[in-house]
């Protein structure tokens, strides 16, 4: 497996991202094309297009909502545990000062960089993306949703 870094850390689910969603987009394009070219059945094609759009929208939103909501909670818990292991104290005050994108980005750091980048996040308010770009030794996360 290729080492994980900033350029390749995103994860895709092939059946969803490269088969199901593109198929829905193709069906939507066909429906919209037919709306303009099949005047006898225009109302049916409009209904078809609206239904396909709603299925497409729900497929994206529900998948993202449930999976990412759970993942966000787990990342916060992981941050708390890791902070406790490194500093031997609770992270409640620190966590309140961080935005979620900063917490999520810190998971890709090893402990020494974690301390340094956490300090920058707290005192210089660097973004999650800036944290990711600053990581020298990437700690891969292959178990994401």
């Amino acid at each position: 497996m290729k080492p994980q870094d900033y350029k390749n850390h995103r994860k895709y689910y092939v059946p969803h991202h490269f088969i199901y969603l593109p198929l829905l987009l193709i069906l939507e394009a066909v429906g919209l094309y037919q709306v303009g070219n099949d005047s006898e059945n225009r109302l049916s094609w409009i209904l078809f297009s609206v239904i396909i759009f709603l299925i497409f929208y729900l497929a994206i939103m529900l998948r993202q909502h449930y999976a990412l909501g759970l993942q966000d909670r787990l990342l916060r818990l992981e941050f708390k545990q890791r902070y406790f292991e490194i500093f031997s104290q609770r992270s409640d005050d620190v966590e309140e000062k961080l935005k979620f994108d900063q917490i999520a980005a810190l998971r890709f750091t090893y402990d020494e960089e974690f301390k340094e980048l956490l300090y920058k996040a707290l005192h210089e308010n660097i973004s999650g993306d800036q944290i990711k770009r600053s990581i020298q030794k990437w700690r891969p996360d292959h178990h994401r949703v």
Side-chain angles (χ1 to χ4, degrees), residues 13-76:
Y13 181 55
V14 173
H16 182 79
H17 288 102
F18 301 110
I19 297 171
Y20 182 64
L21 293 179
L23 181 61
L24 286 175
L25 284 173
I26 291 168
L27 288 173
E28 184 66 17
V30 167
L32 292 174
Y33 175 81
Q34 292 292 11
V35 166
N37 292 313
D38 185 359
S39 57
E40 289 181 21
N41 298 310
R42 180 169 283 145
L43 203 53
S44 296
W45 285 113
I46 290 172
L47 180 62
F48 174 85
S49 296
V50 168
I51 290 171
I52 294 297
F53 173 80
L54 291 174
I55 291 170
F56 179 77
Y57 180 78
L58 286 173
I60 291 173
M61 297 313 294
L62 285 178
R63 179 189 176 277
Q64 296 298 101
H65 177 72
Y66 293 132
L68 294 180
L70 179 59
Q71 182 170 282
D72 291 356
R73 290 188 67 168
L74 290 171
L75 289 176
R76 286 183 185 282

Side-chain angles (χ1 to χ4, degrees), residues 4 10 15-16 21 26-27 37 44-45 53 70 77 98 100 102 105 124 127 138 140 143-145:
Q4 193 178 83
R10 299 200 193 301
H16 182 79
L21 293 179
I26 291 168
L27 288 173
N37 292 313
S44 296
W45 285 113
F53 173 80
L70 179 59
L77 181 61
L98 295 172
F100 180 75
Q102 294 169 313
E124 299 172 22
S127 70
W138 195 272
H143 303 288
R144 294 177 301 143
V145 175

